[in-house]
Amino acid sequence: MATETKPRVPIAAMFSGPGPSKYLLPGSTGQRQHDRRYNVAPAYSFGGRAAKLTSDCSPGPKYGLPEGWNRFGPEGSSKYSLHYRARDMTAFRTPGPGNYANEEDNALHYKAPAYSFGGRSKGFQRDTTPAANAYHLPSVFGGRSPVKNTAPCYSQKGRSGIGGFSEDLSKTPGPGAYKTIQPDSYKYKQPLYSMIGRNTMPGDATRKPGPGAHSPERVYMNKTKAPDFSFGTKHSDYEAPLIVAVADD
């Protein structure tokens, strides 16, 4: 177990002095604690507020004149205001052109009789008589109109397979009924080739390292190597420095 070594007498390593950042240079601005190496420019300050010369406590110009008044009194210019709109006089309202309906005057123009639909009486509330829209007029297209003369109508008939010009009585087979003969049956046959499976090349089955597995930059057997440097370790403050004996001349 390591124990702490206590020196018998004080040594210089136990009393470490302050570093360079402990001391600060005086500033070069302002009047107080100015750097003596530089000239100090004159400084000025704002003066204090002077006391009142008299004891007059009268208010200042804080009173505002009312609107329409000046320092001589009320203004003498004429004044105007907006008056409300007067109401229309109902006794003298003249009718305009839109108040007359000349189309309703039957004395000047002939008017056709006008009819309106009357209400259904109580006795015919359950009447099931069909209305006018329940009937439909027959169509005038085609040959079945009972009220109109129609032109003769013709239709296309299907082609018969018996007795027609396209009837095949001998049942002769067509060109598509025969199969195509291979040309090798009546011509010189060419040689035939097929694809064979891939064969494995004979050799060693071990895994060989590639170019990236080698590091030629680390080889110094055939070239000069530059010196290498590293950072040293921090020693204790109590360790004595190395003193090398110097030969006297």
Side-chain angles (χ1 to χ4, degrees), residues 187-203:
K187 291 185 177 182
Y188 177 75
K189 185 177 181 180
Q190 299 294 333
L192 302 178
Y193 304 94
S194 62
M195 300 289 292
I196 194 172
R198 178 178 293 179
N199 298 325
T200 306
M201 295 294 294

Side-chain angles (χ1 to χ4, degrees), residues 115-129:
Y115 305 96
S116 62
F117 289 96
R120 178 173 291 184
S121 60
K122 296 182 180 180
F124 296 93
Q125 290 182 356
R126 298 183 179 180
D127 189 8
T128 57
T129 304

Side-chain angles (χ1 to χ4, degrees), residues 159-179:
R159 178 180 295 178
S160 177
I162 301 175
F165 67 92
S166 60
E167 182 181 2
D168 188 8
L169 300 178
S170 60
K171 305 297 180 180
T172 303
Y178 302 97
K179 296 182 180 181

Side-chain angles (χ1 to χ4, degrees), residues 136-150:
H136 299 279
L137 295 177
S139 177
V140 296
F141 295 98
R144 299 181 180 181
S145 178
V147 294
K148 297 289 183 179
N149 296 328
T150 58

Side-chain angles (χ1 to χ4, degrees), residues 16 51 60 93 127 203:
S16 57
R93 296 185 62 182
D127 189 8

Side-chain angles (χ1 to χ4, degrees), residues 2-247:
T3 58
E4 184 179 359
T5 303
K6 296 183 179 181
R8 298 180 180 179
V9 295
I11 58 179
M14 297 177 60
F15 304 96
S16 57
S21 60
K22 182 67 176 179
Y23 304 97
L24 300 177
L25 295 176
S28 59
T29 57
Q31 285 283 346
R32 299 179 181 179
Q33 298 181 0
H34 193 277
D35 195 351
R36 298 181 179 181
R37 297 176 298 173
Y38 302 98
N39 297 329
V40 182
Y44 304 94
S45 63
F46 292 96
R49 179 177 296 180
K52 295 183 178 179
L53 300 178
T54 60
S55 59
D56 187 7
C57 298
S58 61
K62 69 174 184 178
Y63 300 101
L65 297 177
E67 185 178 359
W69 288 73
N70 52 22
R71 60 191 181 95
F72 300 105
E75 296 181 357
S77 59
S78 56
K79 301 176 178 59
Y80 304 95
S81 62
L82 295 177
H83 194 270
Y84 63 90
R85 178 178 294 178
R87 297 181 180 179
D88 296 336
M89 301 179 65
T90 58
F92 300 93
R93 296 185 62 182
T94 304
N99 291 342
Y100 302 98
N102 298 330
E103 67 277 359
E104 298 180 359
D105 190 2
N106 299 330
L108 300 177
H109 304 281
Y110 173 76
K111 183 178 180 181
Y115 305 96
S116 62
F117 289 96
R120 178 173 291 184
S121 60
K122 296 182 180 180
F124 296 93
Q125 290 182 356
R126 298 183 179 180
D127 189 8
T128 57
T129 304
N133 59 352
Y135 303 96
H136 299 279
L137 295 177
S139 177
V140 296
F141 295 98
R144 299 181 180 181
S145 178
V147 294
K148 297 289 183 179
N149 296 328
T150 58
C153 301
Y154 303 96
S155 61
Q156 293 183 353
K157 187 179 181 181
R159 178 180 295 178
S160 177
I162 301 175
F165 67 92
S166 60
E167 182 181 2
D168 188 8
L169 300 178
S170 60
K171 305 297 180 180
T172 303
Y178 302 97
K179 296 182 180 181
T180 304
I181 301 175
Q182 296 293 335
D184 299 337
S185 302
Y186 55 91
K187 291 185 177 182
Y188 177 75
K189 185 177 181 180
Q190 299 294 333
L192 302 178
Y193 304 94
S194 62
M195 300 289 292
I196 194 172
R198 178 178 293 179
N199 298 325
T200 306
M201 295 294 294
D204 190 5
T206 57
R207 300 181 63 181
K208 306 298 188 299
H214 305 279
S215 300
E217 67 276 0
R218 298 181 181 179
V219 179
Y220 299 100
M221 298 177 61
N222 55 347
K223 62 181 66 176
T224 305
K225 180 181 179 182
D228 298 335
F229 303 95
S230 62
F231 290 97
T233 59
K234 187 175 182 180
H235 302 283
S236 175
D237 296 336
Y238 301 97
E239 184 178 359
L242 178 62
I243 299 175
V244 180
V246 179

